[in-house]
């Protein structure tokens, strides 16, 4: 065991949860190695398009047809364009097997998808943690809201989350910076919805943007959000939260951090003689050489499906079916968010009003279905988001050149409204990932097979959203209401979760209430793979809170000699 390759802790992955694991472990005194399979990306230095104009790019920020045809999955992602393509994985370079259609969107670089996430940050409520156990789907969460609430507060203060103190039980308040503003039509719609329903709440979205940086943000070189709407390029102001701008610099400041990019993790090493996990096996991305790194504690944060892949590929005499997989459920009960439902409408009036800036969040409505008890003919429910805006700028093409063309293309059009759903899917054994028995990638690792699909519950939720959303918009005064089913495959939500779920019983879960593997006490999984159910909220702030909580526990257990 090489001393140069030995650390106190190893973190696999440098994205949203991996960055938090690195920060917490380093700040608690552990010499920590972060393994990232992609290239190195330094804050600002490696954001090549952060201040580019459309005319600075060869294809004016569009992806050429040949590239779209070669990489159909990533091209379906809303954030993938010429100015951001360097932060996304190309399908052709990293294949996987779709037993059923699944759009797996990935970002392999230091910082991972924290550079390209949508930055929406809502806490779970007590009802989300109670739901599976109460309603009898999945397994009961081993924790409750009160267990994680202090950790939500801890990470929110560091991240910088904008929002209002709304006092809504189904979407708890947090530690907030000043909120973004709704525009006049959004407020009108809000007021009419609240007047028409007793069980609905409407509030401005909460997002990881520094609307008013605090002293600790400024000391890190982070600044105020300029509402540029160019976040996916990498933010030169550090105004939105990313590993590169926040957690990794904090970890580096301790002197305890080592980052090794270009390190494709093959497997976690279980020593049958010592009867414990001792380290990680790595294939160099460029040279294909194999190395091993050793540590007392391992945090697995490779992103949900890759974490499943690594554990499934980590076999030994003790664990022939994957690390910690005594129960046989590793890779099973994968879930996601249902984004298929969209509603559009027009809104008359307010033609003398407009709005300023490019706000990085929408108006949101927390779930109102099956919250406290089972009420519908489907399980769980959905969050709803809406925005109102004015298009028409430069949209007239049916005019002759001249003053009339210039004048009419300088006037905003009528108000339009867009509404979407974020539905909770129910974890099922039939939704799973596995390893290909025959096909391997360029690094000798089996390809991941994905077998994940919608079910009848998802169709019922979609139908209810169409009915309720259309009714709400009608009561709010909207016209020309049109529903649309995108029919997009699972995965394009980029909220895949599960496969290594938390639970109380080792027979039905892989992790305990501290994100610790039941069968391998020095291995912790705190990315989306750990989720027992999906809730209806954007999940990233929950991953961050779970990671900070697990790191605190791991260090205490390590110092006590229990792992």
């Amino acid at each position: 065991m090489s001393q140069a390759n030995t650390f106190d802790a190893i973190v696999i992955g440098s994205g949203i949860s991996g960055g938090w694991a690195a920060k917490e472990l380093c700040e608690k005194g552990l010499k920590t190695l972060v393994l990232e399979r992609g290239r190195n990306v330094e804050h600002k230095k490696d954001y090549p398009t952060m201040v580019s104009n459309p005319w600075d790019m060869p294809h004016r920020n569009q992806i050429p047809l040949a590239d779209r045809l070669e990489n159909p999955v990533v091209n379906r992602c809303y954030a993938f364009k010429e100015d951001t393509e360097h932060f996304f994985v190309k399908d052709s370079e990293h294949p996987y097997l779709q037993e059923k259609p699944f759009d797996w969107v990935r970002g392999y670089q230091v910082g991972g998808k924290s550079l390209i996430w949508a930055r929406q940050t809502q806490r779970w409520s007590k009802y989300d943690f109670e739901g599976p156990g109460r309603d009898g789907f999945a397994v009961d969460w081993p924790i409750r809201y009160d267990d994680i609430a202090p950790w939500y507060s801890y990470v929110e203060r560091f991240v910088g989350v904008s929002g209002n103190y709304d006092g809504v039980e189904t979407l708890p308040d947090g530690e907030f910076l000043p909120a973004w503003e709704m525009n006049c039509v959004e407020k009108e719609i809000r007021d009419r919805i609240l007047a028409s329903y007793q069980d609905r709440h409407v509030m401005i979205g909460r997002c990881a943007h520094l609307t008013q940086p605090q002293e600790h943000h400024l000391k890190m070189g982070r600044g105020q959000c300029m509402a540029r709407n160019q976040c996916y390029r990498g933010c030169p102001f550090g105004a939105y939260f990313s590993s590169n701008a926040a957690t990794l610099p904090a970890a580096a400041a301790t002197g305890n951090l080592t980052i090794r990019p270009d390190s494709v993790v093959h497997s976690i090493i279980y020593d049958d003689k010592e009867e414990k996990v001792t380290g990680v096996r790595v294939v160099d991305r460029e040279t294909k050489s194999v190395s091993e790194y050793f540590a007392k504690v391992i945090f697995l944060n490779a992103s949900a499906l890759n974490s499943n892949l690594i554990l499934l590929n980590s076999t030994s005499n003790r664990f022939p079916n994957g690390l910690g997989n005594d129960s046989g459920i590793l890779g099973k009960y994968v879930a996601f968010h249902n984004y298929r439902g969209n509603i559009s409408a027009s809104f008359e009036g307010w033609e003398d009003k407009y709005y300023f800036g490019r706000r990085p969040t929408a108006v949101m409505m927390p779930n109102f279905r099956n919250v406290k008890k089972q009420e519908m003919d489907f399980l769980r429910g959905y969050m709803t988001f809406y925005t109102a805006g004015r298009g028409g700028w430069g949209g007239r093409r049916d005019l002759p050149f001249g003053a009339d063309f210039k004048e009419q293309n300088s006037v905003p059009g009528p108000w339009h409204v867009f509404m979407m759903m974020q539905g909770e899917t129910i974890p099922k054994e039939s939704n799973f990932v596995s390893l290909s028995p025959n096909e391997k990638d360029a690094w000798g690792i089996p390809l991941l097979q994905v077998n994940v699909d919608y079910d009848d519950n998802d169709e019922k939720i979609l139908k209810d959203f169409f009915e309720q959303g259309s009714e709400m918009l009608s009561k709010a005064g909207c016209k020309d209401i049109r529903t649309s089913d995108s029919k997009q495959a699972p995965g394009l939500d980029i909220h895949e979760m599960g496969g290594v779920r938390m639970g109380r019983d080792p027979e039905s879960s892989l992790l305990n209430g501290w994100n610790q593997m039941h069968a391998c006490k020095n291995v912790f999984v705190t990315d989306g793979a750990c989720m027992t159910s999906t809730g209806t909220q954007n999940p990233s702030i929950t991953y961050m809170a779970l990671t900070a909580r697990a790191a605190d526990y791991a260090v205490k257990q390590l110092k006590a000699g229990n792992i």
Side-chain angles (χ1 to χ4, degrees):
M1 188 180 295
S2 167
Q3 192 65 35
N5 285 13
T6 301
F7 298 82
D8 296 322
I10 294 174
V11 177
I12 302 171
S14 62
I16 279 177
S17 62
W20 266 99
K23 171 186 176 296
E24 294 302 299
L25 295 170
C26 286
E27 289 183 344
K28 295 178 190 305
L30 272 60
K31 296 293 184 182
T32 302
L33 171 67
V34 172
L35 296 170
E36 168 54 53
R37 67 175 295 154
R39 64 189 176 91
N40 191 34
V41 170
E42 293 183 30
H43 180 51
K44 296 185 185 180
K45 175 179 177 288
D46 294 316
Y47 304 162
T49 62
M50 64 184 179
V51 293
S52 297
N53 297 300
W55 52 86
D56 295 327
M57 290 172 268
H59 304 100
R60 303 301 187 264
N61 207 25
Q62 301 303 311
I63 300 294
L65 177 60
D67 288 350
R68 294 205 303 270
L69 294 175
E70 189 176 8
N71 302 286
V73 170
V74 71
N75 268 282
R76 286 192 277 271
C77 178
Y78 61 91
F80 182 75
K81 294 184 179 179
E82 189 175 23
D83 61 344
T84 62
E85 62 178 330
H86 45 279
F87 290 146
F88 286 86
V89 163
K90 301 292 182 64
D91 310 354
S92 56
E93 297 172 1
H94 295 272
Y96 63 101
L97 304 176
Q98 302 180 54
E99 299 293 307
K100 296 176 181 177
F102 187 93
D103 292 336
W104 190 13
V105 178
R106 293 158 287 171
Y108 293 162
Q109 62 264 324
V110 169
K113 294 196 296 291
S114 78
L115 289 167
I116 49 177
W117 68 307
R119 307 166 309 283
Q120 304 309 297
T121 49
Q122 311 106 18
R123 292 188 180 199
W124 279 32
S125 75
K126 63 180 183 180
Y127 303 111
D128 297 294
F129 289 101
E130 294 169 359
R134 184 196 68 199
D135 296 338
F137 69 93
V139 297
D140 189 20
W141 275 88
I143 61 172
R144 290 294 186 262
Y145 176 74
D146 288 346
D147 296 312
I148 195 173
W151 295 100
Y152 275 135
S153 294
Y154 177 76
V155 300
E156 285 163 349
R157 285 191 291 269
F158 181 83
V159 166
V161 176
S162 67
N164 279 324
Y165 293 92
D166 299 292
V168 174
E169 193 177 32
T170 50
L171 206 63
D173 292 332
E175 308 291 330
F176 294 144
L177 303 175
W180 297 88
E181 284 286 329
M182 297 184 201
N183 63 44
C184 56
V185 171
E186 291 166 345
K187 290 177 181 177
E188 181 77 8
I189 293 172
R190 173 200 63 190
D191 293 344
R192 294 186 186 186
I193 290 175
L194 294 179
S196 301
Y197 299 90
Q198 298 300 310
D199 64 340
R200 316 286 161 97
H201 301 281
V202 184
M203 59 194 76
I204 192 64
R206 298 162 181 173
C207 58
H209 283 254
L210 298 182
T211 52
Q212 189 178 93
Q214 302 300 291
E215 184 177 356
H216 65 279
H217 299 129
L218 296 171
K219 284 182 177 178
M220 295 187 67
R222 299 182 64 195
Q224 184 166 338
C225 178
M226 299 297 170
R228 302 189 314 150
N229 193 29
Q230 295 178 352
C231 310
Y232 308 115
R233 299 177 175 191
C235 180
F237 310 102
Y240 81 120
F241 173 81
S242 69
S243 296
N244 308 66
T247 46
L248 291 177
T254 66
N256 292 325
L257 176 67
T258 300
I259 298 181
R260 191 182 193 279
D262 302 314
S263 300
V264 181
V265 171
H266 174 278
S267 54
I268 295 173
I269 302 166
Y270 184 86
D271 190 309
D272 287 311
K273 292 182 180 179
E274 293 192 35
E275 297 184 338
K276 68 176 183 178
V277 165
T278 56
V280 176
R281 186 170 293 112
V282 169
V283 182
D284 188 278
R285 182 174 68 91
E286 296 178 321
T287 68
K288 310 295 193 300
S289 62
V290 177
S291 304
E292 293 182 350
Y293 296 88
F294 306 96
K296 301 169 186 174
V297 62
I298 310 293
F299 267 68
L300 179 53
N301 301 92
S303 81
L305 298 192
N306 270 323
S307 289
N308 276 274
L309 189 161
I310 290 168
L311 290 173
L312 287 165
N313 201 43
S314 300
T315 57
S316 61
N317 291 332
R318 169 67 180 84
F319 296 110
N321 300 312
L323 186 68
N325 192 25
D326 290 335
S327 62
I329 66 164
L330 177 61
K332 299 178 181 179
Y333 300 97
V334 172
F336 54 99
H337 277 146
N338 182 353
Y339 270 26
R340 282 169 47 190
N342 302 301
I343 306 175
S344 60
S346 61
F347 198 93
E348 297 175 354
W350 302 94
E351 281 84 4
D352 61 334
K353 300 292 183 184
Y354 202 69
Y355 42 90
F356 176 78
R358 299 175 179 88
R359 191 184 66 205
T361 191
V363 182
M364 62 182 184
M365 300 176 59
N367 176 42
F368 53 86
R369 292 305 201 202
N370 302 319
V371 174
K372 299 181 180 180
K373 62 181 180 179
Q374 181 63 39
E375 300 168 312
M376 309 300 295
D377 65 343
F378 55 82
L379 288 165
R380 309 309 293 156
Y382 50 89
M383 272 193 76
T384 308
F385 301 86
Y386 74 84
T387 56
R390 301 184 72 176
W393 298 99
R396 294 293 303 274
R397 302 288 188 268
D398 56 344
L399 299 167
F401 286 110
D404 198 37
F405 181 93
K406 180 178 179 181
E407 182 65 29
Q408 293 201 41
N409 274 294
S410 299
V411 177
W415 287 90
H416 60 270
V417 179
F418 174 77
M419 180 178 278
M420 61 172 282
M421 67 176 289
Q422 186 168 278
E424 180 168 357
T425 65
I426 304 304
K428 303 183 295 293
E429 189 172 12
S430 58
N431 277 352
F432 65 93
V433 296
S434 58
L435 300 185
S436 170
N438 304 312
E439 297 187 60
K440 295 185 177 182
D441 65 16
W443 300 274
I445 299 170
L447 295 187
L448 191 70
Q449 299 178 148
V450 185
N451 196 315
V452 174
D453 203 357
Y454 297 102
D455 63 11
D456 185 56
N457 199 73
D458 300 316
E459 299 297 336
K460 289 179 178 179
I461 284 179
L462 178 65
K463 180 175 182 287
D464 191 73
F465 165 73
F466 282 151
E467 291 173 352
Q468 293 301 307
S470 298
E471 181 183 282
M472 286 188 286
L473 291 179
S474 178
K475 290 187 176 183
C478 295
K479 308 293 184 183
D480 306 317
I481 299 169
R482 299 173 298 279
T483 62
S484 173
D485 179 355
S486 70
K487 299 188 183 297
Q488 66 190 52
L492 200 57
D493 51 293
I494 325 181
H495 287 180
E496 57 268 16
M497 297 177 236
V500 196
R501 69 184 179 186
M502 298 171 70
R504 301 179 187 277
D505 185 351
E507 291 297 314
S508 58
S509 62
L510 276 295
L511 310 173
N512 66 16
W514 298 100
N515 294 81
Q516 180 183 35
M517 295 202 83
H518 291 302
C520 301
K521 299 299 184 185
N522 63 336
V523 177
F524 294 78
V525 183
T526 64
D527 61 12
C530 78
M531 299 294 277
T532 304
S533 60
T534 72
T536 59
Q537 300 87 331
N538 295 69
S540 297
I541 198 73
T542 298
Y543 303 163
M544 297 185 220
L546 287 172
T547 302
R549 179 176 178 268
D552 182 71
Y553 175 80
V555 172
K556 289 175 179 175
Q557 291 296 300
L558 189 61
K559 290 180 178 179
N562 295 328
I563 58 175

